Amino acid sequence: AAATPRRAPLAVRGDGVIRCFSESDSEGARLLRVVAFPNTVTKQNVQDTLNPLNLGNTLGNFNAPQRKPFNGDRFEAVFDFGDPPPKKTTLLLSHRRVGLLSTNEETVEWVLLLAEVASVSIDSDDDTHVTVQARSADGSVSRTVRCGSREKASDVARRIRQVWRTARTAATRGAEGGVRGGGVF
């Protein structure tokens, strides 16, 4: 008889610290490996936020996200939002990217590199929304996350800022940033 796992694997965050088992973190680490863009990702419908006009790119090698944008990233955090069925959304945070996922279809609605992020704020009009503003030529690229409650929005914004700050610090130290670890064990 084949062995069957009793629980999902333990998720270890990018800092390498082993924490108590969390079903949510384990699911987030699994999503990090399996989520993908819908098949409709093409050169025409992907906007490169760092180079929106694709200037100076004569080889057609635009900076479009790969089909599995989180592949190879280290897990940092996951936030599930209590959306009514059939749509369930999840914010996934890795050491390089932040993205909103449609969990039921395991597809990415949007993803931003942390290097592209210019600011993270709680929306002034609705304090249950978090806005992630990206660096772009005209400053118009922003993504909004509907968190459902003020407390959840505060937690989401705080965690994105924390990982974003760590990513900026790591970028100043070099490619690896002196941080090791992370993954699923």
Side-chain angles (χ1 to χ4, degrees):
T4 57
R6 297 185 123 194
R7 65 170 172 78
L10 178 65
V12 179
R13 294 189 180 157
D15 58 9
V17 175
I18 304 228
R19 294 174 175 83
C20 293
F21 176 77
S22 164
E23 188 73 37
S24 173
D25 282 358
S26 182
E27 176 63 10
R30 184 191 73 78
L31 285 171
L32 191 76
R33 293 189 321 271
V34 301
V35 294
F37 280 105
N39 290 330
T40 57
V41 174
T42 65
K43 188 173 179 176
Q44 286 73 35
N45 65 8
V46 172
Q47 181 183 10
D48 179 359
T49 56
L50 293 177
N51 185 9
L53 299 176
N54 208 22
L55 298 173
N57 196 346
T58 57
L59 300 176
N61 185 13
F62 67 108
N63 291 330
Q66 51 188 327
R67 177 132 165 77
K68 292 190 175 188
F70 290 97
N71 201 12
D73 285 7
R74 292 189 305 254
F75 172 77
E76 291 294 338
V78 63
F79 294 95
D80 293 320
F81 303 112
D83 296 326
K87 183 175 182 171
K88 181 181 175 198
T89 57
T90 300
L91 182 83
L92 188 57
L93 193 57
S94 75
H95 75 295
R96 283 189 236 160
R97 295 174 180 83
V98 58
L100 192 67
L101 319 174
S102 174
T103 311
N104 294 343
E105 294 90 28
E106 294 183 349
T107 58
V108 177
E109 291 187 18
W110 59 262
V111 65
L112 288 173
L113 284 169
L114 290 175
E116 296 176 345
V117 174
S119 68
V120 178
S121 62
I122 295 177
D123 194 346
S124 59
D125 296 332
D126 187 350
D127 60 2
T128 64
H129 293 170
V130 173
T131 301
V132 181
Q133 182 75 34
R135 289 180 176 90
S136 67
D138 59 0
S140 65
V141 179
S142 68
R143 303 290 187 242
T144 301
V145 181
R146 292 174 187 85
C147 300
S149 73
R150 180 181 301 167
E151 294 79 22
K152 187 91 157 189
S154 178
D155 288 346
V156 167
R158 181 188 54 77
R159 188 68 175 124
I160 292 173
R161 285 187 196 117
Q162 183 181 25
V163 173
W164 177 41
R165 202 172 352 203
T166 303
R168 287 187 310 190
T169 303
T172 61
R173 290 192 217 150
E176 289 299 315
V179 179
R180 305 249 188 261
V184 177
F185 298 97

